[in-house]
Amino acid sequence: MILATNLIKTYGSYTALSGASCSIPAGEFLAIMGESGSGKSTFLNLIYGIDTVDSGSLSVFGNQLDGKPVNELHEYRRNFVSIIFQDFNLLPTLTAWENVILPLKLQGKPVDPAWISFLFEEVGLTSRQHKLPETLSGGENQRVAIARALAVKPKVLVADEPTGSLDSRTGREVLDLLRTVNRDLKVTILMATHSKTASEFADRILRIEDGRFLQ
Amino acid sequence: MKSVFQVFKVLTFHYYRRFKLRWILCTAGVAIGVAVATSINLTSDRAVYSFSETLESVTGTANLQLTADPGLNPDSLWSASWLWKVGYYSPFIQTAGTSKGKTYRLYGFDFVGDRRIRQLQTLQNDSTKTTVNGVFIPVDSPLGSEGDTVTIVINAVRYQLIIAGKVSAISGKLPPRNAIFADLSLLLPITKTVSGLDISVPADSLDSVKNKLQLQFPTARIETLNERKQTTAELFSAFRMNLQALGLIALLVSAYLVYNTLFLSVIQRRQTINLLLSLGSHRRSIFIALLVEGAFFGTIGGLFGLAAGILLASLTYSEVSQTLTAVFQLSDSQLSSFSWMALAGSYLTGIIFATLAAWYPAWLGSGTPISRSLKRGQSEFSSARLKKSVIICVSSLLLVLFSVWMASVTENPLWGYAGVTFSILMLSFLAPPVLILLTSLLKKLSSAGEILLATSSVKEHMVKVSIAVAALTMTLSMAGAVGIMVHSFRTTLDDWLTRSIVADIYLKSSSDPTQLVGTINPDVMAILRNHPMTENVITLRTTQIKIDGLLTDIGANETSVYFKASPADLVAGNPENLGLLQKKGGVAVSEVFANKHHLTAGDTVHIRQYSYPILAVYRNYSSDRGFLLMDTLQFSQLFGYKDPTAAAVFLKPGISSESALLSLRDSLKNFEMDLSVNKDIRENALAIFDQTFRMTRILQLISFFIALLAVITTLSSIILERRKDFATLVSLGSSTFGMYRSLAMESLILTGTSLILAAAGSAVLSALLIQVINRYSFGWTIVTDIPFGELAFTGVVMILVSLIAAAFPMKMIKKLNLPENLKGTIG
């Protein structure tokens, strides 16, 4: 369960969030829609624990994030949340498999090959798991990124414009995959998007405008 | 041109106004290189210049010099009076003396009649006032003041001389501080002979005059001004080679710093560059603007470097000068003026190096690859690039082998330098394949996250890392090679000294450290021979003559006794012949002499009207001009009787050197003699050697410095380029310490590869230095002896340096703004 109450976040004179509040139940696939600069990425950054709120209350699966600096959220990020990016952010000289196991290695967690193989099966890349990112298509790269995000078994998956760099057909395939992941692995997904089509894959759409969620 | 200026303004001026630290780093980079190069050029040039100036200042307008050893009888000079028809001449005396433990050069010439050759400018502007009775010293001489009486020891005899005045200049030049000028009439009763003639004749009659004089004085050495300068240059070639290697490395360091800083700057400015391109700027304008940027740093940094270099030169000059004084028994020890050519040379070289260093970043910044190779996520690794590296390596190796072969055929050391250049090229292009091999091996050995990350990063930044590895390898290889050469040379010299210095006590005139003019008078020899502790005495006589146009040291001793006590290390010939030089009428020559004259045992060497069979070629490191040893009797036949310049005393069995030394000193207390036990001679020789090569230690310091900078700047540029990746890694759960481990691993891969390559590089370069350059420059063989302990220590220090270096870029990671770097926009 994610509970945000009256979140305020400013960058200098610019206010990104101005009293945003929302409640997201566990296991939900939520699409957050809004114009550029409306505050959706800022909200996701707060959920992901790479930015801190100025005021307000933010609780993610029992973790009270408000009032904590980013460097104290390290353990939270390791155990509760994962992220996928618009432009994948895969390491180009590592194979798809190596990219997927990288978070486990970095966190010093054991690598369970069966789990990783299952993830590759889930994202449909079993036959491409030893390829380098540059030899994979954009959609395939995003699938690898999703597998990487799931490797640490997070409770929440943050997806910031996950289909922004993909054509519409590939984008739909990725959204299908997120839907499947949400259903099969019971992962809560928070997806920021501009696309109406993308939002239709979500359980619920939450609109944000001028730093506030519209109820 | 206008567009280049506009691009420069937008791209460079505005950028560096914002990033002042980068500007300072770049400027400092050039300044360091130029400073070291300047100080090296200045000190070596000044030291060599002061020596040649010594000669030139006393020869004034003379363009021909006649010298004779053991000197010319003054009465014979009348026969040269025909010279007055074509020009004019003036006799001179050159000798050495000591006062309060310091060596002085005494120059005697005809103060009254010599004025067309030399202009002696005294402070009183009256050089004739007291000239005949006193001596003149330079204004900065430590000897004393006008009117003082000084004691000078010349050829073991004390003389009281009055300082008649101070010299401000000779022929417009400041004389060296250790000079003493006297009228011929004062020195002639001491030396009995004149050292030679300075002659001034029209340039077109130079050759004919020289030939005529040579016929008239067949035993004399007659040289033109240019020939004398060449002799001086040869004398210092080894020393300068050593220093110039240092200067080159310093400039390479600065070039690498400029390269890396500009590379970082180009990465940071890629958006601006793309914007300028999209707004219609021509790629060529951007390329030129970035090159100008490099030249600009060279110009500004060079100025700072010159100032720092002059300061450094003032500090290091006394070190260099002491070395030269110790090795060559020269001249002054203060840096009184600068060679403007040396300054201009260093400055221009700094600008050229900085501009060349900017070439690749400029090409990268202005060329199409900006959108491709600099794009984040695009790996710099490609099989084609790797293949190209291997091809260049193999080609360079073939060129190294070809250079070595050519060096052996032509006996020209320049081919050795070509070999060094190709070796450096080979080592530089070996970096990518070795890096790939090492990273693959590491990945196979461990699947730890840090290794995965580090190897991935190295592969992704193959070009950048390879350049850093190449720079580091080059520095370490040269430092290692010079270290091996110096150590080998020292070991060889030590062995040779142990083999050669076999007598118990050595003796020479204390006024004669050069062993060229001072002699041991017969009374001293008689005391030595009759001393109750003496078993045997060997005398040594030396002189220099030209054989087949090459200046050669000739020595003579009682060879039958000498070689029995000191068996030579033979290169060619029968060892039994060494004791039979006098009997067989032959000579033994040093390896250097044999190589320079292309002679070996069994050949004949012609000196004047005599021919001498070479009975043996032996290793001798006393002279890089070549040494010819004959028996004392043959020497007297050739040069007339000369008192010995040194003597070696063998003591009766059971007598300790120390007690004999005290006893002999007591017996010789009325004579100014230097007596030393063999241990001290050996230690002194090694001390002089160590002093000569002390500056090579700077090489090691520079190596560590470049290592630190190379690793820091390379890792920093990698982090700067991969900010988004590092932000991703932090977001994927990597801890700060985990990131440090990964960076430290990357740093170790970089340094480790450099050390592996440098080990090979040191071996190849030291082989070229020892077996090719040394051999064909100086003609002697050095036995290779690798200082394993020292090299291992360097390796350990380098590894520690690399671990420390990784800590600096970590600060950049700690400061990463995660949201900004993960997406780039905040919405």
Side-chain angles (χ1 to χ4, degrees):
Chain A
M1 171 82 171
I2 297 169
L3 193 61
T5 314
N6 206 21
L7 298 178
I8 294 177
K9 178 71 186 173
T10 55
Y11 298 99
S13 59
Y14 169 70
T15 304
L17 294 176
S18 53
S21 300
C22 68
S23 166
I24 304 158
E28 187 175 41
F29 184 171
L30 178 75
I32 301 170
M33 289 191 77
E35 299 295 312
S36 288
S38 59
K40 53 186 187 301
S41 289
T42 305
F43 179 69
L44 290 189
N45 288 342
L46 295 176
I47 299 290
Y48 188 51
I50 56 171
D51 210 346
T52 51
V53 70
D54 293 341
S55 68
S57 164
L58 179 62
S59 165
V60 181
F61 286 86
N63 295 281
Q64 201 64 36
L65 304 188
D66 52 278
K68 285 184 180 167
V70 170
N71 53 12
E72 283 183 23
L73 298 174
H74 184 63
E75 282 304 308
Y76 159 75
R77 284 199 302 271
R78 286 163 65 110
N79 297 318
F80 288 90
V81 64
S82 279
I83 193 166
I84 56 172
F85 304 94
Q86 180 178 334
D87 51 0
F88 331 129
N89 284 8
L90 297 177
L91 295 190
T93 51
L94 296 186
T95 62
W97 179 277
E98 287 168 336
N99 264 292
V100 171
I101 63 167
L102 186 62
L104 294 166
K105 294 269 186 191
L106 292 173
Q107 294 175 24
K109 292 176 178 170
V111 176
D112 176 4
W115 167 241
I116 305 298
S117 296
F118 167 76
L119 288 177
F120 271 101
E121 208 175 296
E122 188 80 359
V123 300
L125 288 176
T126 305
S127 60
R128 317 270 292 158
Q129 61 192 23
H130 296 300
K131 298 282 179 191
L132 288 169
E134 64 183 11
T135 62
L136 301 175
S137 69
E140 286 172 328
N141 272 323
Q142 193 59 295
R143 283 160 183 266
V144 175
I146 292 169
R148 181 178 69 181
L150 296 172
V152 292
K153 300 180 181 168
K155 297 244 184 293
V156 181
L157 176 62
V158 171
D160 196 358
E161 301 278 5
T163 57
S165 299
L166 305 172
D167 61 65
S168 56
R169 192 178 62 83
T170 317
R172 271 198 301 278
E173 285 171 10
V174 167
L175 290 163
D176 257 339
L177 176 61
L178 286 175
R179 179 79 263 177
T180 311
V181 163
N182 171 251
R183 191 186 58 228
D184 294 354
L185 304 176
K186 312 287 181 218
V187 177
T188 306
I189 298 178
L190 272 64
M191 176 177 72
T193 182
H194 283 104
S195 160
K196 193 169 178 304
T197 318
S199 67
E200 285 165 2
F201 283 78
D203 297 328
R204 181 163 68 108
I205 299 169
L206 199 54
R207 293 191 180 277
I208 187 166
E209 201 174 290
D210 296 331
R212 282 167 182 264
F213 289 110
L214 305 176
Q215 300 300 325
Chain B
M1 196 62 212
K2 206 175 166 186
S3 65
V4 171
F5 177 72
Q6 283 303 325
V7 169
F8 183 77
K9 199 172 142 192
V10 174
L11 202 59
T12 304
F13 187 69
H14 292 307
Y15 174 79
Y16 285 105
R17 208 166 54 172
R18 203 176 140 209
F19 294 100
K20 290 191 180 67
L21 186 67
R22 201 145 295 167
W23 190 91
I24 293 166
L25 188 70
C26 233
T27 311
V30 181
I32 291 167
V34 173
V36 177
T38 301
S39 69
I40 284 171
N41 279 345
L42 276 182
T43 44
S44 68
D45 265 28
R46 175 64 193 151
V48 175
Y49 180 62
S50 73
F51 176 61
S52 54
E53 202 178 53
T54 308
L55 296 174
E56 283 165 33
S57 63
V58 292
T59 53
T61 58
N63 53 6
L64 203 60
Q65 191 178 61
L66 180 150
T67 50
D69 190 16
L72 294 167
N73 184 332
D75 294 336
S76 70
L77 299 183
W78 290 110
S79 61
S81 56
W82 58 268
L83 279 168
W84 290 110
K85 289 179 187 167
V86 284
Y88 33 91
Y89 73 98
S90 183
F92 68 88
I93 292 171
Q94 193 174 337
T95 186
T98 54
S99 177
K100 294 176 186 165
K102 285 190 175 173
T103 302
Y104 291 89
R105 291 246 164 197
L106 286 103
Y107 299 97
F109 48 89
D110 178 5
F111 277 10
V112 180
D114 189 85
R115 293 184 166 204
R116 277 185 287 186
I117 299 273
R118 281 167 267 259
Q119 288 294 314
L120 188 78
Q121 291 149 278
T122 63
L123 286 186
Q124 293 84 6
N125 203 22
D126 181 8
S127 61
T128 58
K129 197 173 68 178
T130 53
T131 50
V132 182
N133 300 320
V135 294
F136 280 76
I137 56 172
V139 281
D140 55 351
S141 172
L143 260 182
S145 310
E146 191 180 340
D148 290 354
T149 301
V150 289
T151 305
I152 305 278
V153 178
I154 306 167
N155 287 353
V157 181
R158 287 164 186 268
Y159 295 92
Q160 304 284 326
L161 301 173
I162 299 165
I163 299 175
K166 295 226 170 183
V167 177
S168 56
I170 282 206
S171 303
K173 291 173 183 170
L174 182 71
R177 294 175 82 209
N178 66 341
I180 297 175
F181 301 100
D183 192 81
L184 272 182
S185 59
L186 187 72
L187 288 185
L188 201 53
I190 299 171
T191 59
K192 310 284 192 288
T193 57
V194 295
S195 306
L197 302 177
D198 277 331
I199 304 156
S200 181
V201 290
D204 55 357
S205 57
L206 203 60
D207 287 338
S208 62
V209 170
K210 189 180 168 187
N211 291 337
K212 195 172 172 184
L213 279 170
Q214 195 69 76
L215 285 173
Q216 206 171 348
F217 299 93
T219 62
R221 202 163 94 203
I222 302 164
E223 285 179 310
T224 62
L225 188 66
N226 285 339
E227 285 169 338
R228 284 208 309 279
K229 280 184 176 170
Q230 201 182 334
T231 307
T232 311
E234 283 169 9
L235 191 65
F236 289 99
S237 59
F239 195 77
R240 297 188 81 161
M241 186 178 89
N242 194 14
L243 287 174
Q244 275 160 1
L246 279 173
L248 185 69
I249 288 179
L251 283 167
L252 282 173
V253 176
S254 69
Y256 179 72
L257 280 174
V258 173
Y259 155 79
N260 217 14
T261 315
L262 287 182
F263 197 94
L264 280 170
S265 310
V266 167
I267 291 168
Q268 271 203 331
R269 287 177 289 176
R270 61 187 169 192
Q271 276 186 327
T272 317
I273 291 170
N274 277 334
L275 187 66
L276 285 170
L277 286 172
S278 66
L279 292 175
S281 274
H282 202 278
R283 290 190 185 282
R284 204 176 53 189
S285 303
I286 290 175
F287 178 74
I288 294 171
L290 290 171
L291 271 194
V292 170
E293 195 174 304
F296 181 73
F297 285 128
T299 311
I300 303 293
L303 283 176
F304 285 112
L306 281 184
I310 290 169
L311 187 71
L312 198 61
S314 318
L315 298 173
T316 57
Y317 182 68
S318 90
E319 176 79 10
V320 175
S321 178
Q322 273 170 25
T323 302
L324 291 173
T325 307
V327 179
F328 304 110
Q329 306 299 341
L330 307 173
S331 102
D332 60 349
S333 58
Q334 70 173 30
L335 192 64
S336 51
S337 67
F338 299 121
S339 154
W340 291 104
M341 286 299 284
L343 285 177
S346 309
Y347 187 52
L348 279 177
T349 315
I351 295 174
I352 291 168
F353 266 68
T355 313
L356 288 177
W359 197 276
Y360 182 65
W363 174 81
L364 205 61
S366 62
T368 327
I370 191 79
S371 57
R372 222 176 37 232
S373 76
L374 284 182
K375 197 173 127 192
R376 199 199 63 76
Q378 183 80 30
S379 172
E380 288 175 358
F381 171 78
S382 82
S383 309
R385 206 172 259 168
L386 197 66
K387 216 176 277 174
K388 212 185 284 178
S389 289
V390 173
I391 290 169
I392 295 174
C393 275
V394 174
S395 311
S396 305
L397 178 65
L398 292 174
L399 285 168
V400 172
L401 295 173
F402 176 73
S403 302
V404 172
W405 179 72
M406 280 304 288
S408 68
V409 172
T410 61
E411 296 188 359
N412 188 339
L414 281 178
W415 283 105
Y417 289 106
V420 168
T421 310
F422 293 129
S423 302
I424 287 172
L425 192 70
M426 176 181 76
L427 289 166
S428 304
F429 282 90
L430 252 180
V434 173
L435 273 168
I436 291 296
L437 271 175
L438 200 69
T439 48
S440 308
L441 194 69
L442 274 172
K443 266 179 90 170
K444 272 186 189 155
L445 288 174
S446 167
S447 62
E450 292 76 33
I451 293 193
L452 202 61
L453 268 184
T455 52
S456 149
S457 172
V458 166
K459 206 170 168 186
E460 188 179 338
H461 299 92
M462 187 50 69
V463 174
K464 220 179 320 350
V465 175
S466 297
I467 290 171
V469 167
L472 203 52
T473 301
M474 233 187 288
T475 318
L476 288 171
S477 299
M478 288 187 82
V482 172
I484 292 173
M485 182 189 77
V486 172
H487 183 79
S488 303
F489 200 2
R490 198 183 191 282
T491 308
T492 307
L493 191 69
D494 198 2
D495 287 348
W496 176 69
L497 287 170
T498 309
R499 195 187 286 266
S500 311
I501 312 233
V502 287
D504 299 295
I505 290 173
Y506 287 82
L507 178 139
K508 61 174 182 165
S509 162
S510 66
S511 64
D512 174 33
T514 62
Q515 296 193 344
L516 289 174
V517 285
T519 50
I520 303 173
N521 75 37
D523 296 342
V524 173
M525 289 308 300
I527 293 171
L528 279 183
R529 288 205 164 97
N530 298 326
H531 195 277
M533 291 178 172
T534 303
E535 170 88 19
N536 211 340
V537 179
I538 295 176
T539 59
L540 176 71
R541 289 163 172 82
T542 55
T543 189
Q544 288 180 343
I545 59 163
K546 276 196 169 178
I547 298 177
D548 296 332
L550 297 173
L551 194 62
T552 308
D553 290 319
I554 294 192
N557 61 23
E558 292 78 12
T559 47
S560 56
V561 185
Y562 174 72
F563 282 117
K564 203 181 279 178
S566 165
D569 186 7
L570 281 195
V571 176
N574 186 345
E576 286 170 11
N577 282 339
L578 287 170
L580 303 171
L581 292 188
Q582 184 211 338
K583 202 171 173 186
K584 293 196 172 184
V587 293
V589 297
S590 71
E591 183 189 19
V592 177
F593 181 93
N595 286 336
K596 284 197 171 175
H597 293 265
H598 303 105
L599 295 170
T600 188
D603 292 338
T604 303
V605 59
H606 304 281
I607 307 172
R608 297 179 183 165
Q609 69 270 39
Y610 302 102
S611 298
Y612 301 97
I614 296 173
L615 299 179
V617 178
Y618 70 111
R619 291 204 168 87
N620 177 306
Y621 299 90
S622 66
S623 162
D624 61 6
R625 290 183 288 271
F627 192 79
L628 185 145
L629 185 72
M630 52 175 56
D631 194 82
T632 307
L633 289 173
Q634 292 164 302
F635 189 83
S636 298
Q637 181 189 39
L638 194 58
F639 298 105
Y641 178 78
K642 271 183 78 176
D643 283 332
T645 48
V649 180
F650 292 87
L651 298 172
K652 285 180 177 159
I655 294 173
S656 83
S657 301
E658 283 72 22
S659 61
L661 185 73
L662 291 173
S663 174
L664 279 171
R665 273 195 182 140
D666 188 52
S667 306
L668 295 168
K669 63 185 173 203
N670 294 326
F671 301 90
E672 293 288 332
M673 303 304 299
D674 266 353
L675 285 100
S676 316
V677 295
N678 58 9
K679 187 170 87 46
D680 291 345
I681 298 255
R682 192 173 149 274
E683 281 172 5
N684 281 344
L686 290 175
I688 289 175
F689 177 90
D690 290 340
Q691 191 175 18
T692 311
F693 289 99
R694 196 181 293 166
M695 286 194 72
T696 54
R697 292 286 163 208
I698 295 174
L699 266 176
Q700 280 172 321
L701 288 176
I702 291 177
S703 310
F704 295 147
F705 185 63
I706 194 181
L708 193 68
L709 285 174
V711 175
I712 290 173
T713 50
T714 306
L715 292 182
S716 299
S717 70
I718 287 172
I719 289 170
L720 198 64
E721 198 183 343
R722 294 177 66 206
R723 276 179 302 191
K724 205 163 181 177
D725 283 346
F726 279 98
T728 307
L729 292 170
V730 173
S731 74
L732 289 178
S734 181
S735 64
T736 310
F737 187 61
M739 296 301 281
Y740 172 73
R741 282 203 306 254
S742 163
L743 271 180
M745 182 53 69
E746 204 164 327
S747 180
L748 279 177
I749 291 173
L750 201 150
T751 314
T753 310
S754 306
L755 283 173
I756 291 169
L757 285 172
S762 299
V764 172
L765 293 179
S766 64
L768 284 168
L769 281 173
I770 293 171
Q771 305 296 345
V772 181
I773 295 175
N774 245 301
R775 188 167 173 191
Y776 297 120
S777 293
F778 310 113
W780 48 44
T781 316
I782 297 172
V783 180
T784 305
D785 186 31
I786 300 170
F788 286 107
E790 202 176 305
L791 294 179
F793 174 74
T794 308
V796 171
V797 173
M798 292 305 304
I799 286 167
L800 289 175
V801 162
S802 66
L803 289 174
I804 296 165
F808 289 92
M810 260 312 287
K811 288 185 177 174
M812 292 172 77
I813 293 181
K814 280 184 181 170
K815 285 183 186 168
L816 274 181
N817 181 328
L818 289 178
E820 197 175 334
N821 284 296
L822 281 171
K823 190 161 184 193
T825 55
I826 297 163

